[in-house]
Amino acid sequence: MKTFLLSFLIYAGCSLPSPAQQIKPAIPSDPEIEAKINKLLQKMTLEEKIGQMCEITIDVITDFSDKENGFRLSESMLDTVIGKYKVGSILNTPFSIAQEKEVWADLITRIQKKSMEEIGIPCIYGVDQIHGTTYTRGGTFFPQSINMAAAFNRQLIRRGAEISAYETKACCIPWNYAPVMDLGRDPRWPRMWESYGEDCYVNAEMGIQAVKGFQGENPNHIGENNVAACIKHFMGYGVPVSGKDRTPSSISRTDLREKHFAPFLASIQAGALSLMVNSGVDNGVPFHANKELLTGWLKEELNWDGMIVTDWADINNLCLRDHIAETKKEAIQIAINAGIDMSMVPYEVNFCTYLKELVEEGKVSMARIDDAVSRVLRLKYRLGLFDNPYWDIMKYDQFASPEFASVALQAAEESEVLLKNEDDILPLAKGKKILLTGPNANSMRCLNGGWSYSWQGDKADECAQAYNTIYEAFCNEYGKESVIYEPGVTYKTSTDALWWEENTPQIAQAVAAAEKADVIIACIGENSYCETPGNLTDLNLSTNQKNLVKALAATGKPIILVLNEGRPRIIHDIVPLAKAVVHIMLPGNYGADALVNLVSGKANFSGKLPFTYPHLINSMATYDYKPCENMGQMGGNYNYDAVMDVQWPFGFGLSYTTYSYSNLKVNCTSFDADNELVFTVDVTNTGKMVGKESVLLYSRDLVASITPDNIRLRNFEKVELQPGETKTVTMKLKGSDLAFVGADGKWRLEKGAFRMTCGTQKLEIHCTTTKIWQTPNISKSGI
């Protein structure tokens, strides 16, 4: 191992609080739990301790010999994994497809009985149910996180997480790998739809609500209807330089602290019990090897006693992929010493053998082992697994209830975004002949995206037949006799087909069908994908789909584009051909019903984009860009052209009604870091239809010691208004909310003017005193 690497891992540039400083624990310690942990640690052998730090996939203990008759555990492998190696955690889905809740409960009960019998410590089972009960047949699916962000509704996030927790617990599963706290700031990244969009404040606020929804109010005692959250992927995962999954990022220290860390900080301070690490590499250092971030920023700076788990096989990647270790054993040494508490191996129990050798050789200290194991045991105690390692799932009688479905439908309705509506073509009245076309018009797979019944989402059409595709939903609302279905372009469905592959287009058939229609609804976008398989080389929408829209436009019939995609695809050449554009993103099993309710006018659009929709292939931008990115042509001989050219901006979304803003006020126009700023604004529904409006409050630092962002979102509230109704919306900030991380890495709020905007309203406020913090983190509103 190289000396410079060891030096970095010890602490590269990390400024930690001194031991004398008292840092308020992120989660208050429970003396009773701590006493139990200490007592148990004293009894455990080294093998038992190391086993608690190991997580393997369910495949290792699955009997595949008679798959046709359903899932069965391999008793011999269960003996090996739990009996011999004392493994403390298992993850993933049997046969890589969603199971009935009874199957889940049976397999986990059997695992737990074995674990309690062999080592007296319960196993902890984890799954990726990231948008509802997505690995359980019949469970309630919510829209993906990118949709939930578009709703700008904190209460919906909280309620959705509560329902997901309840239904996950109905499967005897106590641990969910959600929410995703990565910032979706690059549409090339194939996991953008798993995030809450590009803004750090939105991600932080949604993360707080998701964590509390999953876990309840007391992180030391998780209730019978709650599960442990696992925030992921720490951090900066969403901005790889290449745009491709699990490839290197190059994030500045200021952005890392101010933006990418913010959602994780907020979620941990909200009580998040566990955290999963980014699989990637930043500035040459893999996150799984970064002691400064894992031990420094998370555990010491926050006084956080939660547990850190790796992502899939990522300790091995330090050797096999990243080449910072010569052997897997050396990779384990690096990762555990950096602060990893549990390794998602996921197939090789030799992790346990190697780690034992490292302890015996003095390369990993017993203090580090005891710290890691304490964190694993603490999670299990907080979940109550020692007292109830499994439970009777019959009491969860609200599983997949109509009440839960109505919340999922509401979430879908509030998340779908109206981007264009020329000549008020929407709402679409009955009595017209509709041509439904495009590859996404009759697919549950497209509506749900990845992590839906299966990793790639490719089993959704098989598993979600009880729900409506867009075609089926339109038939239900407008009558089957009024709906013509002719896709024109379709995705390949063979088992060896890649997600983006399309069949030979039949555009002429769609054009012919258009002659019988009054209006065309073209459902275009992406097929489902997840993680690295979702990498692409061209952000343009497929040529076949664009040609379909262009050919249909030539018929002269009005076109409504429905965009069903997990990330924005470039469509600037076909947007002018459409009378209306609706972006439904990935709205889940109830997304088609929500779309029809909105298109028919039974519901009103209220979603707003939580990301910037790009216009051109090489013009990627986020709303918080630097001023020099939008300068236009400079004077003189220098033909300088830096113009912000986007298709639709962050926060954009139309409605069937209109809103006016007036009387933006603040309680004090002069402030310092400790003052509370209370903003009020009057919002009026000036149209003829009831609607919900997301009220967004922005700030702009007019002059700063480093060039400030163009604009920053600071708060939001969603309000429902009847026609003609006015409501006063109140939003609060602390003066410190307007601070930024300076070039020296310190938080600072500088004396000077800020311009606040809300809707059409603007006002200026003035900071009277500069403050520079000596602590690495500062208190924020809402945290």
Side-chain angles (χ1 to χ4, degrees):
M1 191 187 303
K2 303 298 186 290
T3 302
F4 78 86
L5 178 58
L6 279 172
S7 299
F8 183 91
L9 297 177
I10 290 170
Y11 273 105
C14 182
S15 175
L16 294 177
S18 68
Q21 281 184 285
Q22 294 297 314
I23 306 169
K24 181 181 178 182
I27 302 172
S29 178
D30 184 300
E32 184 177 344
I33 289 177
E34 296 308 308
K36 289 178 179 179
I37 292 170
N38 292 332
K39 184 177 180 179
L40 183 54
L41 272 179
Q42 293 174 17
K43 296 178 180 179
M44 294 174 69
T45 66
L46 178 58
E47 290 84 358
E48 288 172 336
K49 291 179 179 180
I50 288 171
Q52 289 299 302
M53 298 171 64
C54 181
E55 182 178 43
I56 59 120
T57 179
I58 187 66
D59 288 353
V60 174
I61 57 173
T62 297
D63 183 350
F64 288 96
S65 64
D66 191 18
K67 185 177 178 180
E68 297 300 320
N69 289 318
F71 174 78
R72 290 193 306 176
L73 284 170
S74 167
E75 295 298 334
S76 62
M77 286 306 301
L78 197 60
D79 283 337
T80 299
V81 167
I82 292 180
K84 180 179 179 181
Y85 289 96
K86 319 299 183 185
V87 167
S89 182
I90 297 173
L91 82 154
N92 226 348
T93 308
F95 302 146
S96 299
I97 191 170
Q99 301 293 317
E100 301 287 346
K101 66 181 188 298
E102 292 79 10
V103 173
W104 276 120
D106 179 65
L107 80 89
I108 291 173
T109 297
R110 292 169 63 192
I111 291 169
Q112 293 289 43
K113 286 181 176 179
K114 183 71 172 181
S115 188
M116 296 303 290
E117 174 188 328
E118 292 288 343
I119 52 180
I121 300 174
C123 180
I124 183 168
Y125 204 107
V127 293
D128 291 278
Q129 301 207 124
I130 70 166
H131 69 110
T133 323
T134 51
Y135 272 134
T136 307
R137 289 181 184 255
T140 305
F141 280 35
F142 282 84
Q144 295 280 4
S145 293
I146 199 70
N147 286 74
M148 298 300 285
F152 281 93
N153 187 330
R154 294 178 181 87
Q155 290 71 36
L156 267 179
I157 299 286
R158 177 76 168 261
R159 185 62 182 137
E162 289 172 347
I163 291 169
S164 298
Y166 177 96
E167 293 194 343
T168 299
K169 214 62 177 284
C171 306
C172 273
I173 300 171
W175 190 24
N176 192 19
Y177 304 135
V180 174
M181 290 287 89
D182 308 306
L183 303 185
R185 295 174 70 82
D186 187 335
R188 299 172 301 166
W189 184 51
R191 305 189 73 168
M192 182 176 176
W193 46 270
E194 296 182 49
S195 80
Y196 292 114
E198 70 186 40
D199 179 60
C200 63
Y201 176 75
V202 172
N203 277 265
E205 289 294 295
M206 300 315 188
I208 291 169
Q209 297 305 319
V211 166
K212 290 183 175 180
F214 283 130
Q215 296 186 174
E217 291 293 340
N218 187 349
N220 274 307
H221 298 281
I222 302 301
E224 65 177 6
N225 294 336
N226 297 102
V227 298
C230 185
I231 54 176
K232 60 184 187 182
H233 309 80
F234 183 75
M235 64 180 160
Y237 189 20
V239 289
V241 174
S242 71
K244 298 187 188 303
D245 187 42
R246 287 175 165 83
T247 59
S249 58
S250 182
I251 307 170
S252 71
R253 300 289 289 183
T254 55
D255 273 359
L256 196 66
R257 176 71 76 176
E258 183 177 334
K259 295 181 180 178
H260 294 278
F261 188 45
F264 292 95
L265 172 64
S267 298
I268 285 173
Q269 293 181 330
L273 295 179
S274 62
L275 172 146
M276 187 182 294
V277 183
N278 175 3
S279 296
V281 174
D282 185 60
N283 291 306
V285 181
F287 283 90
H288 283 77
N290 197 320
K291 187 173 184 179
E292 177 191 0
L293 300 182
L294 299 179
T295 298
W297 287 31
L298 288 174
K299 295 179 177 179
E300 296 179 350
E301 290 180 5
L302 299 181
N303 196 3
W304 179 61
D305 62 7
M307 192 197 77
I308 298 176
V309 62
T310 75
D311 206 338
W312 190 269
D314 275 331
I315 289 183
N316 283 346
N317 280 338
L318 300 182
C319 165
L320 302 177
R321 183 195 70 184
D322 300 324
H323 305 295
I324 68 165
E326 293 181 3
T327 64
K328 291 182 180 180
K329 181 177 173 179
E330 187 181 16
I332 293 169
Q333 176 186 345
I334 292 171
I336 300 303
N337 284 335
I340 294 295
D341 301 313
M342 179 184 284
S343 173
M344 188 185 292
V345 180
Y347 291 102
E348 304 168 349
V349 287
N350 60 14
F351 164 86
C352 300
T353 303
Y354 290 144
L355 184 52
K356 182 182 178 185
E357 292 174 358
L358 288 166
V359 174
E360 292 170 342
E361 294 164 5
K363 295 178 180 177
V364 174
S365 71
M366 274 304 304
R368 175 75 271 269
I369 295 295
D370 284 347
D371 174 61
V373 176
S374 294
R375 292 169 184 274
V376 176
L377 296 177
R378 188 176 293 116
L379 177 58
K380 294 180 178 183
Y381 275 117
R382 283 169 165 166
L383 283 165
L385 293 178
F386 280 87
D387 296 324
N388 298 292
Y390 51 90
W391 46 88
D392 180 7
I393 67 169
M394 295 301 292
K395 63 184 175 183
Y396 294 93
D397 56 0
Q398 293 300 302
F399 183 90
S401 66
E403 177 193 345
F404 291 176
S406 68
V407 179
L409 176 62
Q410 179 190 349
E413 287 177 352
E414 291 197 27
S415 74
E416 297 181 4
V417 185
L418 180 62
L419 297 173
K420 183 179 181 181
N421 192 21
E422 273 187 8
D423 303 325
D424 293 327
I425 189 172
L426 298 177
L428 189 63
K430 291 184 178 180
K432 297 189 177 188
K433 202 79 166 180
I434 300 168
L435 169 63
L436 267 176
T437 187
N440 296 51
N442 198 26
S443 168
M444 293 307 301
R445 174 179 178 177
C446 296
L447 290 174
N448 278 296
W451 299 118
S452 303
Y453 301 106
S454 62
W455 177 41
Q456 294 296 310
D458 56 319
K459 303 296 192 297
D461 287 315
E462 168 191 338
C463 298
Q465 294 184 8
Y467 307 95
N468 293 318
T469 66
I470 294 174
Y471 167 66
E472 291 165 341
F474 270 87
C475 287
N476 291 341
E477 175 64 25
Y478 289 91
K480 193 168 185 179
E481 69 284 355
S482 297
V483 181
I484 306 165
Y485 171 59
E486 187 59 61
V489 176
T490 55
Y491 300 115
K492 289 186 176 180
T493 57
S494 59
T495 55
D496 60 343
L498 299 172
W499 65 269
W500 47 266
E501 290 185 306
E502 296 168 349
N503 295 305
T504 302
Q506 304 291 326
I507 293 175
Q509 295 180 15
V511 170
E515 296 301 320
K516 305 172 187 175
D518 299 306
V519 63
I520 299 166
I521 300 179
C523 303
I524 57 177
E526 296 183 317
N527 205 357
S528 75
Y529 54 84
C530 193
E531 299 190 73
T532 304
N535 287 340
L536 47 70
T537 55
D538 188 350
L539 200 57
N540 277 290
L541 188 67
S542 82
T543 300
N544 287 339
Q545 294 188 51
K546 287 188 175 185
N547 286 343
L548 171 66
V549 173
K550 291 173 182 177
L552 290 169
T555 68
K557 301 295 177 70
I559 295 176
I560 299 165
L561 293 182
V562 174
L563 308 180
N564 176 198
E565 53 195 17
R567 55 190 159 192
R569 304 296 294 268
I570 304 298
I571 54 170
H572 66 90
D573 49 340
I574 60 174
V575 169
L577 306 179
K579 286 286 187 180
V581 180
V582 179
H583 197 350
I584 66 172
M585 291 167 278
L586 300 175
N589 279 337
Y590 298 96
D593 299 316
L595 175 64
V596 167
N597 288 346
L598 292 162
V599 166
S600 67
K602 287 184 173 180
N604 197 352
F605 285 96
S606 66
K608 293 180 183 289
L609 291 178
F611 55 84
T612 303
Y613 201 114
H615 184 214
L616 299 169
I617 195 71
N618 290 328
S619 294
M620 303 300 168
T622 54
Y623 86 101
D624 53 350
Y625 59 82
K626 299 299 182 183
C628 62
E629 296 180 75
N630 191 27
M631 285 186 62
Q633 185 169 316
M634 294 176 67
N637 295 323
Y638 188 16
N639 186 17
Y640 184 93
D641 185 9
V643 178
M644 192 56 58
D645 185 9
V646 303
Q647 190 73 58
W648 293 287
F650 174 92
F652 183 78
L654 302 174
S655 169
Y656 291 143
T657 191
T658 53
Y659 302 97
S660 67
Y661 287 69
S662 59
N663 299 322
L664 176 62
K665 298 177 182 178
V666 65
N667 62 324
C668 51
T669 56
S670 297
F671 70 97
D672 61 26
D674 298 322
N675 289 143
E676 181 180 63
L677 300 170
V678 182
F679 294 87
T680 58
V681 66
D682 293 338
V683 184
T684 302
N685 183 342
T686 54
K688 299 179 179 180
M689 184 175 182
V690 62
K692 296 178 182 178
E693 172 72 343
S694 293
V695 181
L696 310 182
L697 178 67
Y698 295 93
S699 74
R700 183 175 184 180
D701 195 343
L702 298 185
V703 178
S705 57
I706 63 173
T707 187
D709 293 333
N710 174 65
I711 196 170
R712 290 288 294 276
L713 182 68
R714 298 303 185 183
N715 208 333
F716 62 85
E717 292 293 340
K718 196 161 194 177
V719 59
E720 183 173 21
L721 295 165
Q722 298 294 322
E725 183 180 13
T726 298
K727 287 185 178 178
T728 300
V729 178
T730 300
M731 291 174 281
K732 298 179 180 180
L733 303 179
K734 290 176 64 175
S736 57
D737 288 342
L738 301 177
F740 63 93
V741 176
D744 58 1
K746 295 180 179 180
W747 283 96
R748 54 201 303 126
L749 175 66
E750 295 178 341
K751 181 178 179 180
F754 292 80
R755 181 176 299 134
M756 309 300 296
T757 60
C758 188
T760 57
Q761 300 290 292
K762 298 179 182 179
L763 61 80
E764 280 195 12
I765 57 176
H766 297 265
C767 177
T768 58
T769 307
T770 294
K771 179 173 181 177
I772 301 173
W773 282 261
Q774 300 306 313
T775 53
N777 302 300
I778 63 174
S779 177
K780 293 274 191 173
S781 296
I783 298 175

